[in-house]
Amino acid sequence: MAPYTTIRTPRLDIAYLEWNPAGARTAVLLHGWPDSPESWHTVAQRLAAEGYRVLCPALRGFGATRFLDPATPRSGELAALGRDLLDFIAALGLARPLLVGHDWGARAASNACGLQPDVAAQLVLLSIGYGTNDPSQTLALEQARNYWYHWFMATPRGADTVRDDAQAFTRYMWDTWSPAGWYTEAEFAQAAHAFDNPDWAAVVLHSYRHRWGFVAGDPAYADDNARLTPAPQLAVPTLVLHGGADTCNLPATSEGRAHYFTGGFERRVLDGVGHFPQREAPQAVADAILKFCATWPAAR
């Protein structure tokens, strides 16, 4: 795998992996939590072979991405992730790339499109339901049970676990969010290396606490948060891929969302796949992305 490259944005030095720099089109693939850019390796290779320039950045708090100013709040709020993506696209001078995101990365990609409607040609969201960021949203009891780790991180005990035992904590997610036996020790170790970032715990804790209104956001994102709440309709053609065996975000959480998408919408459930489709079924994910982009060649 190629080494990381770094690009400077207004708030961050963002580290990213790249395939096929001379590709005619660009795809930006954004990882989720708890994961790393390497999660896209197989999908990225496939898209690169089909002519895409593929970029996989490390989100704030992950890997070699670093804040420029020690005084910047280590916010993990979802609006910040969307703004970081817009800054990344602007810094590299990308023209309407394909945006593909998993989990946190999906929220970053959809929020970027909400903040700048013409930023992407197509949007692909893995393992989440759009419009689910409202702290007052209704949750089915089964989904509330699945979100135990959100509430745990709002407690002092949970915060200590995130800070002091990140690998055990995140491994438990990998072990319980997908059918057994889906990853190797080497794959987890590679992903967990991204959690060694000195800001990882602070960003993670703030993200989940802010999501439910337990802590204030960074005032720098107040306007962005206002624009994203309630979730705006998106005009970019959008594909949602959800694992049928996802026990983090139940497949039902992405049902009934077509009204949010005015530029074209498709949703596919991947049978037997858990919360990490790009790792568990990378060829199926790549096939779905390529087919969707051929069907919806550009945002209208």
Side-chain angles (χ1 to χ4, degrees):
M1 185 179 294
Y4 277 90
T5 304
T6 301
I7 186 74
R8 180 154 293 188
T9 69
R11 293 181 179 86
L12 301 166
D13 279 332
I14 298 179
Y16 64 95
L17 298 172
E18 182 172 11
W19 287 260
N20 191 25
R25 283 206 55 205
T26 302
V28 181
L29 313 184
L30 298 130
H31 68 89
W33 184 90
D35 214 335
S36 69
E38 287 83 4
S39 66
W40 294 107
H41 181 259
T42 303
V43 173
Q45 286 187 320
R46 177 75 183 284
L47 295 183
E50 295 292 334
Y52 282 85
R53 177 190 184 189
V54 183
L55 305 167
C56 299
L59 301 181
R60 57 168 56 199
F62 289 77
T65 292
R66 294 291 187 273
F67 287 88
L68 301 180
D69 187 345
T72 300
R74 272 32 179 180
S75 169
E77 61 198 283
L78 300 176
L81 302 183
R83 181 57 60 183
D84 288 348
L85 175 54
L86 292 177
D87 289 344
F88 178 76
I89 290 169
L92 287 171
L94 306 180
R96 300 180 72 231
L98 161 67
L99 297 182
V100 182
H102 169 247
D103 192 82
W104 278 29
R107 301 186 191 281
S110 59
N111 284 343
C113 291
L115 293 171
Q116 187 175 319
D118 62 347
V119 71
Q122 297 100 356
L123 175 65
V124 181
L125 309 176
L126 276 63
S127 307
I128 68 160
Y130 180 70
T132 59
N133 298 345
D134 185 349
S136 63
Q137 66 182 278
T138 300
L139 283 178
L141 291 177
E142 186 178 6
Q143 188 59 52
R145 181 188 65 181
N146 291 353
Y147 281 166
W148 70 270
Y149 63 102
H150 291 210
W151 329 128
F152 184 58
M153 283 190 274
T155 70
R157 183 187 295 267
D160 288 344
T161 300
V162 171
R163 296 186 188 105
D164 301 335
D165 207 0
Q167 288 210 16
F169 185 57
T170 54
R171 182 188 287 273
Y172 188 74
M173 311 307 164
W174 280 44
D175 285 341
T176 58
W177 285 354
S178 299
W182 67 272
Y183 70 90
T184 67
E185 288 297 318
E187 288 170 334
F188 178 77
Q190 184 182 60
H193 183 63
F195 315 153
D196 292 336
N197 184 302
D199 299 310
W200 183 83
V203 168
V204 168
L205 291 171
H206 184 267
S207 183
Y208 287 106
R209 291 172 170 185
H210 181 268
R211 197 173 304 187
W212 297 104
F214 298 146
V215 295
D218 180 347
Y221 303 105
D223 289 345
D224 287 348
N225 274 311
R227 292 173 61 190
L228 295 169
T229 308
Q233 288 185 318
L234 303 181
V236 60
T238 300
L239 170 66
V240 170
L241 298 175
H242 210 139
D246 187 340
T247 51
C248 172
N249 291 323
L250 297 174
T253 61
S254 63
E255 292 177 348
R257 306 285 169 174
H259 64 281
Y260 282 109
F261 303 97
T262 62
F265 177 76
E266 295 181 19
R267 176 179 176 270
R268 287 189 54 193
V269 175
L270 304 175
D271 291 340
V273 174
H275 187 66
F276 301 87
Q278 75 276 28
R279 286 187 179 274
E280 299 173 59
Q283 295 301 339
V285 169
D287 285 343
I289 293 170
L290 291 168
K291 181 179 178 180
F292 179 76
C293 290
T295 304
W296 298 94
R300 298 170 183 172

